[in-house]
Amino acid sequence: MIVAIDGPAAAGKGTLAKRLAEHLGFNHLDTGLIYRAVGVKHLETGLDAITVARALQPADLSHPGLRGEAAGRAASEVAAIPEVRQALLDFQRRFAQRPPGAVLDGRDIGTVVCPDADIKLFVTASLEKRAERRWKELIAKGETAIAERVLQDMRDRDARDAARDVAPMAPAADAVLIDTSELDADAAFAAALAIVHRKMTTKA
Ligand code: C5P
């Protein structure tokens, strides 16, 4: 069984995916991390992003700087290159097929990577809420962050991810939408679990 979770940055899809995978006993792949690893390695080595993507090693996903804002920006730039996306497709699909099941989160899982996924969720929240969450996270980590700057970065990243020609961020036609603007992590998990159970019962 494959659960595809897509949505914009800071909507809560990563936390949700991890928790759902733990609950179901499935493998979890944060596909954003792969694009982050390519973006960071490209910046650090000066190698072109396509070469980096084709030679990506599992160890590259453990780079300590992948969670930062600069890595997110670099990821969304290399993610617009069709050959980069193509190079990372097989890895993601192989991961999805591993038993006993998988939860993948990203931007194009339900539309491109796993169009036949059993369950598709599109997790979103208002731009303002997502920027506020990201800003609070940064401050909690002791980083200096200007709220307006975080908001603008997020707006730019949304626009780049939604407007690119290949695999733009979009809900699949058969995805169920979860808006977390007014939901905390527990409430989002409960909503997702209800959808998963409903789908599993109708499939059985
Ligand atoms: O989800 P996260 O913020 O880690 O993703 C970083 C960037 O990687 C996104 O802004 C997006 O450009 C890219 N990405 C993508 N397709 C995915 C996952 C992430 O294009 N499946």
Side-chain angles (χ1 to χ4, degrees), residues 113-127:
V113 179
C114 302
D116 297 326
D118 304 271
I119 295 166
K120 298 182 187 177
L121 305 176
F122 193 83
V123 180
T124 188
S126 71
L127 172 68

Side-chain angles (χ1 to χ4, degrees), residues 20-195:
L20 260 187
E22 271 166 19
H23 182 83
L24 298 168
F26 285 5
N27 303 305
H28 169 225
L29 182 63
D30 166 4
T31 63
L33 205 60
I34 311 177
Y35 288 93
R36 285 168 181 262
V38 173
V40 167
K41 201 165 181 184
H42 158 67
L43 289 182
E44 284 183 350
T45 61
L47 288 169
D48 76 275
I50 300 169
T51 307
V52 172
R54 288 183 179 148
L56 198 71
Q57 301 295 319
D60 294 327
L61 302 183
S62 313
H63 186 296
L66 297 188
R67 297 285 173 194
E69 292 302 281
R73 230 180 350 260
S76 113
E77 283 166 15
V78 300
I81 305 169
E83 292 87 346
V84 167
R85 304 199 72 85
Q86 187 60 39
L88 302 175
L89 207 49
D90 277 356
F91 174 82
Q92 296 174 81
R93 286 188 174 149
R94 271 199 308 275
F95 185 97
Q97 294 303 330
R98 274 173 36 195
V103 180
L104 283 82
D105 71 272
R107 301 290 188 290
D108 62 338
I109 308 303
T111 50
V112 175
V113 179
C114 302
D116 297 326
D118 304 271
I119 295 166
K120 298 182 187 177
L121 305 176
F122 193 83
V123 180
T124 188
S126 71
L127 172 68
E128 290 72 21
K129 284 275 181 189
R130 291 185 291 115
E132 187 189 329
R133 281 179 199 156
R134 182 52 51 86
W135 179 77
K136 284 184 178 158
E137 273 168 27
L138 291 170
I139 296 296
K141 279 198 279 182
E143 294 183 26
T144 27
I146 302 161
E148 292 82 54
R149 179 71 201 276
V150 175
L151 181 79
Q152 189 55 46
D153 276 0
M154 193 148 294
R155 187 183 284 123
D156 291 348
R157 189 130 78 89
D158 282 357
R160 205 162 37 230
D161 289 348
R164 67 180 174 227
D165 292 335
V166 249
M169 170 175 69
D174 50 350
V176 182
L177 201 85
I178 299 180
D179 188 327
T180 65
S181 301
E182 305 301 331
L183 301 182
D184 64 12
D186 286 346
F189 177 63
L193 207 54
I195 295 162

